[in-house]
Amino acid sequence: MIRCIRLTAAFSFLLLVALLVNAGRVQVYEAENYGASPANRRGQIVRYAQPRGAVLVAGRPVTGSRDSGGRLRYERTYTEGPLYAPVTGYASQTYGTSLLERAEDGILSGADDRLATFPWWDRLTRTHRRGGSVRTTINPRMQRAAFDGLGDKKGAVAAIEPATGRVLALVSTPSYDPGELSGNDAAVGAAWRRLNGAEQQPMLNRALRQTYPPGSTFKVVTAAAALESGRVTDIDAPTDSPDPYPLPGTDTRLGNAAEGCEDAPLKDAFRASCNTVFARLGARIGLAGLADTARRFGFNDRMLRIPSPVAPSNFDTRMDASQVALSAIGQYDTAATPLQMAMVAAAVANGGQLASPSLVDEVTDARGVVVAGGPRRTTRQVTGPVTAQQLQEMMVDVVEHGSGRPAAIKGVTVGGKTGTAQHGVRNEGTPYAWFISWARAKDSYEPAVAVAVVVEDAAADRADISGGGNAAPIARAVMAAALG
């Protein structure tokens, strides 16, 4: 009898040990797999059990939370959703997050360890912290000016503070209301299908994720390469450029829309946007020199984050001489985001120094205590200060005496460059209208803002499309808002 009791006790003890081992295995080794299982909704229930932290613009929240009363209790809400959608992105219980909502999800959802005094204790007790806030660099006046300026046109605006890299405006139109995607009911699924299937692609962030041929705005980069390489030493000296210009190794002759481009000095060619002068300069500089200058301005950077990821702008590094010539005028397969072209203008305005762009000033906990500043802002020398000064002089000349006149602001020094970018098969697509610019108050040595505007206006008459006519007035409104 005693032997049976002992055997039963030993067997029960083994079962207990096996149970404890299995419990430990589940809780320690398999916890991550069970937590990530689609069948386990506990994580989602906990995630949405409290309000999400706010995205702030000029200290005011442009996001909020609504108590839905469901198991996934709090849904995201947006103030002026279409205006700030290219900044915030969406936070959906069904489709996840995008843009700043994704990049700063840890802070906003409360999962980031920086929000806790003792992170290990919160993990041990499975405490879910209140979400913190993200203070953006966006200037609401400039954001509104860009949004209203684009109106019902398809396009984008990016504006940067040249000295710091702070992103002051980021607009993409047509836009959408991210609040339509917040919940998990049938209406959310219908909105998702409608927005993704729309011909106008309202969910595409054209300022960050779409690249366009930059057209003549790229001539700023080509001019910088010509000056830095010594191919041009005097911007007022003739350039010995024919009109038309035979592209190297081909029977194609490149012409100009403007008059007086033959042998035009760099300054005059920049103001008149002479394709022949810049194509010939590009061929003389060569692929290596032009590609290096483009790289220093930010082209081909696949790691750019603000902290939302930015599509890399392209400058091909494997081309023949004729393709290099076309790339020098912003054609062939050269492509840039509006943010990239704002960076080009910012580097010129800032004496040849390019500050890394950033959309976040600081993050705070739920009580408003700063837990981290924005990302470390680095600068790099893109051109020498003398080259930058010459580029500034040429860009000011475009606004004062050339196609950039619609961007002029009384009492303000404004530099700009227009562009009309051809695209499509045999360039049959409606051209894109570009304008990049910077502005500096007359009594200041520091530029206030650099702006890039691109307009895709398929409804416009092809002959009426120009960077000066379509894009420059929008840039002017944004610069005026920056200067108050």
Side-chain angles (χ1 to χ4, degrees):
M1 188 68 175
I2 295 175
R3 184 171 177 273
C4 290
I5 293 173
R6 286 176 176 172
L7 290 174
T8 302
F11 183 67
S12 299
F13 179 74
L14 289 175
L15 289 177
L16 178 61
V17 169
L19 181 64
L20 292 173
V21 168
N22 186 61
R25 179 186 65 84
V26 170
Q27 294 184 33
V28 177
Y29 296 103
E30 298 293 336
E32 187 172 340
N33 292 334
Y34 282 116
S37 171
N40 182 9
R41 302 199 69 195
R42 182 177 178 82
Q44 278 191 306
I45 292 171
V46 172
R47 176 184 175 88
Y48 298 110
Q50 61 185 19
R52 188 171 172 85
V55 176
L56 306 176
V57 172
R60 296 188 175 187
V62 296
T63 62
S65 295
R66 181 182 71 87
D67 190 346
S68 68
R71 293 190 70 191
L72 305 183
R73 184 171 175 181
Y74 286 97
E75 296 177 358
R76 195 58 148 165
T77 61
Y78 294 87
T79 303
E80 298 183 284
L83 174 63
Y84 291 108
V87 176
T88 63
Y90 58 80
S92 171
Q93 294 177 347
T94 306
Y95 298 106
T97 54
S98 70
L99 299 177
L100 201 57
E101 292 274 28
R102 171 175 290 183
E104 297 291 351
D105 183 66
I107 291 292
L108 297 169
S109 67
D112 196 301
D113 283 345
R114 289 175 294 177
L115 299 174
T117 305
F118 301 108
W120 59 270
W121 177 255
D122 286 355
R123 286 194 293 270
L124 183 65
T125 60
R126 299 187 182 277
T127 300
H128 193 77
R129 298 178 286 269
R130 293 170 59 196
S133 297
V134 176
R135 297 181 185 274
T136 69
T137 57
I138 294 295
N139 180 315
R141 294 191 310 274
M142 295 172 63
Q143 186 80 1
R144 173 58 69 181
F147 188 76
D148 291 347
L150 283 169
D152 58 1
K153 302 181 185 71
K154 187 191 296 185
V157 176
I160 297 174
E161 188 174 66
T164 64
R166 297 171 75 248
V167 178
L168 302 176
L170 207 62
V171 170
S172 175
T173 57
S175 190
Y176 72 104
D177 184 358
E180 292 187 82
L181 306 176
S182 293
N184 54 46
D185 56 14
V188 169
W192 178 264
R193 291 188 295 272
R194 172 173 52 80
L195 291 170
N196 280 282
E199 183 180 356
Q200 297 292 311
Q201 296 180 286
M203 292 183 69
L204 172 63
N205 189 327
R206 292 173 167 85
L208 299 180
R209 301 298 301 165
Q210 179 72 0
T211 59
Y212 303 86
S216 292
T217 59
F218 191 80
K219 291 171 183 173
V220 176
V221 178
T222 304
L227 292 165
E228 290 285 285
S229 66
R231 290 292 180 181
V232 175
T233 57
D234 184 355
I235 63 175
D236 294 307
T239 54
D240 189 28
S241 304
D243 185 8
Y245 168 64
L247 292 175
T250 74
D251 296 328
T252 303
R253 290 179 173 271
L254 184 68
N256 296 292
E259 299 290 335
C261 288
E262 186 173 358
D263 294 334
L266 184 64
K267 184 176 180 179
D268 294 346
F270 192 88
R271 181 180 61 252
S273 206
C274 297
N275 287 335
T276 52
V277 173
F278 283 90
R280 182 173 180 275
L281 277 174
R284 291 183 65 201
I285 295 164
L287 175 59
L290 202 54
D292 181 62
T293 303
R295 178 191 57 79
R296 283 186 274 125
F297 273 105
F299 282 79
N300 298 333
D301 182 358
R302 300 186 178 280
M303 301 302 294
L304 183 60
R305 303 285 187 275
I306 63 168
S308 305
V310 181
S313 296
N314 179 68
F315 187 85
D316 207 335
T317 55
R318 304 179 73 177
M319 296 184 284
D320 61 31
S322 65
Q323 292 164 342
V324 172
L326 289 174
S327 295
I329 61 173
Q331 296 295 159
Y332 185 52
D333 63 353
T334 302
T337 61
L339 180 68
Q340 171 61 67
M341 296 314 295
M343 290 165 61
V344 170
V348 172
N350 197 37
Q353 290 192 337
L354 177 61
S356 300
S358 173
L359 188 57
V360 174
D361 260 341
E362 62 185 23
V363 294
T364 68
D365 64 16
R367 296 168 296 171
V369 177
V370 176
V371 296
R376 186 171 62 90
R377 295 187 173 100
T378 59
T379 60
R380 64 175 180 269
Q381 197 73 38
V382 175
T383 71
V386 174
T387 295
Q389 187 175 8
Q390 291 171 309
L391 292 171
Q392 289 175 22
E393 180 182 339
M394 292 190 291
M395 292 181 77
V396 170
D397 187 44
V398 169
V399 174
E400 292 183 350
H401 306 292
S403 56
R405 287 189 187 93
I409 302 173
K410 187 176 180 180
V412 176
T413 300
V414 177
K417 184 70 187 81
T418 57
T420 306
Q422 309 291 336
H423 67 99
V425 179
R426 299 187 184 90
N427 290 333
E428 292 174 354
T430 303
Y432 300 134
W434 275 96
F435 190 73
I436 66 173
S437 60
W438 51 267
R440 181 179 65 236
K442 289 286 188 182
D443 57 352
S444 175
Y445 292 104
E446 190 170 285
V449 64
V451 182
V453 179
V454 64
V455 177
E456 310 172 45
D457 198 349
D461 184 351
R462 185 184 180 97
D464 292 337
I465 297 173
S466 71
N470 295 75
I474 301 171
R476 181 189 188 280
V478 175
M479 291 186 291
L483 293 159

